[in-house]
């Protein structure tokens, strides 16, 4: 009987008490209710929108579009003569699986080479454009559904906005790659300085989290076809970027543990 009463009180709390904030309550209690209510709404909307299924579908689309998108990025960076930095960024991102980075680079080089020859020049460029627009449109559709945005971007805005992203993305890669090279050089030069060397090493370990935070914050601001305030997008970006890095760490170490086992 006590168990039933406890279950009923918990159900009543989540159904009624959690959503009725009394100003006479302590500020800490009201704050805890707001945080808990936000978590409850997030979990409920996560399940209702089928975010796991959407993530699986977008993962499949991303895998199919990976080579064409990398081909566009490397074509842009090679056009500006900074391909070495973009390659360094790719190898740094896949530092736990260098053979995958080698495979991707061979595939991208072959893709770009075939796209330059004869009939494949026009067909290859069209295929690249269609792939980029299609993948980014799928991502926007998923974001709009989650944000409950009924009106997507027009085709003209899709083309202009999406390619603005892919023109700015190489700049982001070059800047981040250049910073990582600069910091690595600083570490080697300041190896004898205990305090500065420790600070630089901390910055190197912290930089993947910062990049993930910026990436997810930018996605949350730009992708939905509605105005998203910076502070909520930043908080969400920090949470998502941190979990992304943690799951990546667990996955990589899990793969090493399985291979050793």
């Amino acid at each position: 009987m006590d168990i039933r009463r406890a279950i009923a009180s918990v159900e009543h709390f989540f159904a009624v008490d959690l959503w009725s904030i009394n100003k006479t309550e302590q500020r800490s209690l009201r704050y805890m209710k707001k945080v808990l209510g936000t978590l409850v709404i997030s979990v409920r909307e996560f399940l209702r929108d089928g975010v796991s299924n959407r993530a699986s579908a977008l993962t499949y689309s991303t895998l199919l579009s990976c080579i064409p998108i990398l081909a566009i990025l490397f074509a842009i960076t090679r056009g500006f003569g900074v391909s070495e930095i973009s390659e360094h960024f790719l190898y740094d991102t896949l530092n736990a699986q260098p053979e995958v980075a080698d495979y991707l680079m061979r595939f991208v080089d072959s893709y770009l080479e075939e796209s330059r020859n004869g009939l494949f020049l026009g067909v290859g460029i069209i295929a690249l454009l269609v792939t980029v627009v299609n993948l980014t449109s799928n991502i926007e559709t998923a974001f709009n559904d989650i944000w409950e945005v009924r009106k997507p971007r027009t085709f003209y805005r899709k083309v202009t906005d999406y390619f603005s992203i892919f023109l700015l993305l190489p700049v982001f890669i070059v800047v981040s790659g250049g910073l990582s090279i600069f910091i690595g050089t600083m570490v080697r030069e300041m190896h004898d300085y205990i305090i500065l060397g420790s600070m630089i090493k901390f910055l190197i370990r912290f930089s993947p989290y910062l990049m993930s935070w910026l990436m997810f914050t930018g996605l949350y601001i730009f992708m939905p076809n509605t105005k998203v305030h910076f502070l909520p997008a930043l908080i969400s970006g920090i949470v998502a970027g941190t979990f992304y890095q943690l799951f990546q760490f667990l996955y990589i170490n899990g793969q090493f543990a399985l291979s050793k086992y």
Side-chain angles (χ1 to χ4, degrees):
M1 195 68 181
D2 292 336
I3 296 177
R4 291 182 179 178
R5 189 173 299 172
I7 294 174
S9 63
V10 170
E11 290 178 348
H12 184 270
F13 172 77
F14 280 99
V16 179
D17 296 340
L18 181 61
W19 314 108
S20 58
I21 298 177
N22 193 343
K23 293 183 178 181
T24 59
E25 295 176 337
Q26 294 182 358
R27 182 177 297 178
S28 60
L29 180 60
R30 284 183 288 169
Y31 179 77
M32 290 179 61
K33 279 188 174 183
K34 288 182 179 180
V35 173
L36 185 58
T38 302
L39 291 175
V40 169
I41 293 174
S42 300
V43 172
R44 185 176 62 195
E45 295 299 313
F46 181 91
L47 297 174
R48 191 193 71 174
D49 292 332
V51 176
S52 297
N53 295 332
R54 294 181 185 277
S56 301
L58 290 177
T59 301
Y60 178 73
S61 300
T62 304
L63 287 174
L64 290 178
S65 309
C66 183
I67 299 300
I69 289 175
L70 285 176
I72 287 180
L73 295 179
F74 277 96
I76 295 173
T77 54
R78 287 176 183 177
F80 286 102
V82 289
S83 59
E84 292 182 359
I85 295 179
S86 58
E87 291 178 12
H88 179 272
F89 180 84
L90 178 63
Y91 279 97
D92 188 55
T93 304
L94 299 172
N95 57 1
Q97 297 172 311
E99 65 279 358
V100 176
D102 291 334
Y103 180 79
L104 288 175
M105 283 304 304
R106 289 196 300 268
F107 218 135
V108 167
D109 290 336
S110 175
Y111 196 97
L112 290 174
E113 187 64 30
E114 292 295 333
S115 297
R116 293 193 191 103
N117 298 326
L119 178 64
F120 285 100
L121 176 61
V123 176
I125 292 176
I126 293 174
L128 286 175
L129 299 180
V130 171
T131 301
V132 170
V133 173
N134 184 52
L135 172 64
T136 320
S137 179
N138 290 336
I139 297 174
E140 183 196 340
T141 300
F143 274 68
N144 285 340
D145 290 342
I146 294 172
W147 261 259
E148 297 185 356
V149 177
R150 304 303 177 192
K151 186 178 180 181
R153 285 176 171 86
T154 62
F155 180 77
Y156 173 76
R157 280 198 59 205
K158 284 183 179 181
V159 173
T160 56
D161 291 354
Y162 295 168
F163 281 99
S164 298
I165 294 177
F166 282 94
L167 287 174
L168 291 175
L169 190 56
V171 177
F172 173 79
I173 291 175
V174 169
V175 171
S176 60
L179 284 175
S180 64
I181 295 173
F182 173 74
I183 292 174
T185 304
M186 292 288 291
V187 168
R188 289 192 294 270
E189 293 180 354
M190 294 184 175
H191 183 72
D192 296 330
Y193 298 91
I194 298 175
I195 297 178
L196 292 177
S198 300
M199 291 177 60
I200 297 296
K201 289 179 181 178
F202 171 76
L203 289 176
I204 291 177
R205 294 175 181 175
F206 180 72
S207 59
Y209 289 89
L210 180 60
M211 294 300 175
S212 298
W213 295 349
L214 293 175
M215 178 184 70
F216 281 102
T217 301
L219 279 175
Y220 295 148
I221 291 176
F222 180 81
M223 288 310 301
N225 189 31
T226 186
K227 183 179 180 181
V228 179
H229 295 287
F230 175 75
L231 183 59
L234 177 62
I235 295 173
S236 303
I238 291 174
V239 173
T242 302
F243 275 102
Y244 173 78
Q245 290 295 328
L246 291 177
F247 279 119
Q248 187 179 32
F249 174 79
L250 293 175
Y251 172 77
I252 292 173
N253 284 273
Q255 291 298 316
F256 282 134
L258 287 174
S259 62
K260 290 179 181 179
Y261 181 76

